[in-house]
C-alpha cells in the first residue's frame, strides 16, 4: 500500500515558467516531508523539507507547500531552468524519523 | 558528496548465485539504509540499520539479508539472486537528529540474468 503517492509520472514546462510537482499521502502520522531530486546514474539528492507544523517553506527558487487537511504537498520551482530537468521524489519518515517512504517520482523536463 | 561509496557500481550475475553489495561511509553516522529503485515503484526500503549489529526489515526485505559489523560498512546480500532482483540499489545514511534527511550514494546497478 503506497503511503506516499505521486500521480503524475511526468511534467514538461517551458524555461522561465513555474513547475508544480504534487504529492499526496495517506498516513497522518507523518510529521515532516522531504523532496529529492535525481539525475540519471546518480543517487537522489535532498532538495527541501517541511515540518507538519508549517504550511510553507522556501529556499531560493524552491518552495514547498503543505496542506494537512488534504494530505497534499507540492513543490514549486520558479523560474524553471533546464538544469532542473530530473526526477523528483517526495518522501516522509515514520518510526521516529527513521523509516522513509518515497513516492514513485515525477520526471520534470524543462524545455529551453 | 555525503561520504558514501557503493561497490560495485555495476554487476551482472546469474540466477541462483549469491551477491553482496557494499556500502561504505566516512561520516560515522548511526543510521544506514538500503533501497531499491524500480520503474513505477520509486524507492522502496529493503533493510536499515540503527547501529552496529542492529538492523530491521523494510517494505521489500524478502530475499535479502544485511550485516553491519562496523559503523562504516553496511552489506546487502542476495543469498540466491532472482531476475526480480534486477534493480538499482541505493545506500543512504542519516544523522541521528530526528528531522535529518537521508543522503544517498550513487547506486549499484544489478542485473540478474
Amino acid at each position: 500500500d503506497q503511503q506516499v503517492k505521486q500521480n503524475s509520472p511526468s511534467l514538461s514546462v517551458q524555461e522561465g515558467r513555474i513547475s508544480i510537482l504534487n504529492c499526496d499521502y495517506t498516513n497522518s502520522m507523518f510529521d515532516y516531508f522531504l523532496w529529492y531530486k535525481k539525475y540519471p546514474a546518480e543517487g537522489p539528492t535532498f532538495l527541501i523539507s517541511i515540518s507538519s507544523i508549517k504550511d510553507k517553506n522556501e529556499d531560493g527558487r524552491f518552495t514547498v507547500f503543505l496542506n494537512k487537511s488534504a494530505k497534499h504537498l507540492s513543490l514549486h520551482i520558479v523560474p524553471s531552468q533546464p538544469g532542473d530537468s530530473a526526477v523528483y521524489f517526495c518522501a516522509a519518515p515514520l518510526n521516529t524519523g527513521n523509516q522513509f517512504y518515497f513516492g514513485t517520482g515525477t520526471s520534470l523536463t524543462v524545455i529551453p | 558528496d555525503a561520504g558514501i561509496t557503493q561497490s560495485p557500481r555495476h554487476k551482472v550475475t546469474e540466477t541462483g548465485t549469491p551477491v553482496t553489495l557494499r556500502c561504505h561511509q566516512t561520516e560515522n553516522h548511526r543510521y544506514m539504509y538500503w533501497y531499491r529503485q524500480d520503474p513505477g515503484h520509486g524507492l522502496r526500503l529493503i533493510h536499515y540499520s540503527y547501529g552496529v549489529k542492529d538492523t530491521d526489515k523494510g517494505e521489500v526485505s524478502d530475499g535479502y539479508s544485511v550485516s553491519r559489523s562496523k559503523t562504516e560498512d553496511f552489506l546487502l546480500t542476495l543469498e540466491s539472486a532472482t531476475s526480480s532482483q534486477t534493480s538499482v540499489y541505493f545506500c543512504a545514511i542519516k544523522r541521528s537528529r530526528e528531522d535529518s534527511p537521508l543522503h544517498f550514494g550513487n547506486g549499484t546497478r544489478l542485473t540478474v540474468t
Side-chain angles (χ1 to χ4, degrees), chain B residues 90-105:
Chain B
F90 289 101
C91 175
I93 61 175
K94 178 185 168 303
R95 293 183 177 87
S96 296
R97 180 175 148 171
E98 214 168 281
D99 61 350
S100 295
L102 298 181
H103 294 280
F104 286 87

Side-chain angles (χ1 to χ4, degrees), chain A residues 70-95:
Chain A
K71 293 192 174 69
H72 177 83
L73 63 154
S74 60
L75 175 68
H76 292 212
I77 307 173
V78 183
S80 301
Q81 299 173 354
D84 296 329
S85 297
V87 177
Y88 291 79
F89 293 97
C90 63
L94 279 179
N95 296 339

Side-chain angles (χ1 to χ4, degrees), chain B residues 18-81:
Chain B
V19 177
T20 295
L21 308 183
R22 181 179 183 243
C23 178
H24 177 80
Q25 62 153 327
T26 58
E27 312 251 337
N28 205 35
H29 290 318
R30 179 180 171 194
Y31 295 97
M32 298 185 76
Y33 302 77
W34 279 107
Y35 280 85
R36 60 178 288 176
Q37 185 196 3
D38 304 287
H41 291 278
L43 290 154
R44 292 181 293 173
L45 179 64
I46 305 171
H47 283 277
Y48 68 103
S49 170
Y50 43 95
V52 172
K53 296 193 182 351
D54 291 324
T55 64
D56 207 349
K57 295 179 180 180
E59 314 167 66
V60 290
S61 59
D62 288 349
Y64 301 95
S65 63
V66 290
S67 66
R68 192 163 177 206
S69 58
K70 299 185 289 185
T71 300
E72 58 266 36
D73 290 324
F74 192 31
L75 304 180
L76 176 71
T77 298
L78 291 65
E79 300 290 347
S80 177

Side-chain angles (χ1 to χ4, degrees), chain B residues 77-88:
Chain B
T77 298
L78 291 65
E79 300 290 347
S80 177
T82 67
S83 58
S84 65
Q85 293 175 311
T86 292
S87 186
V88 181

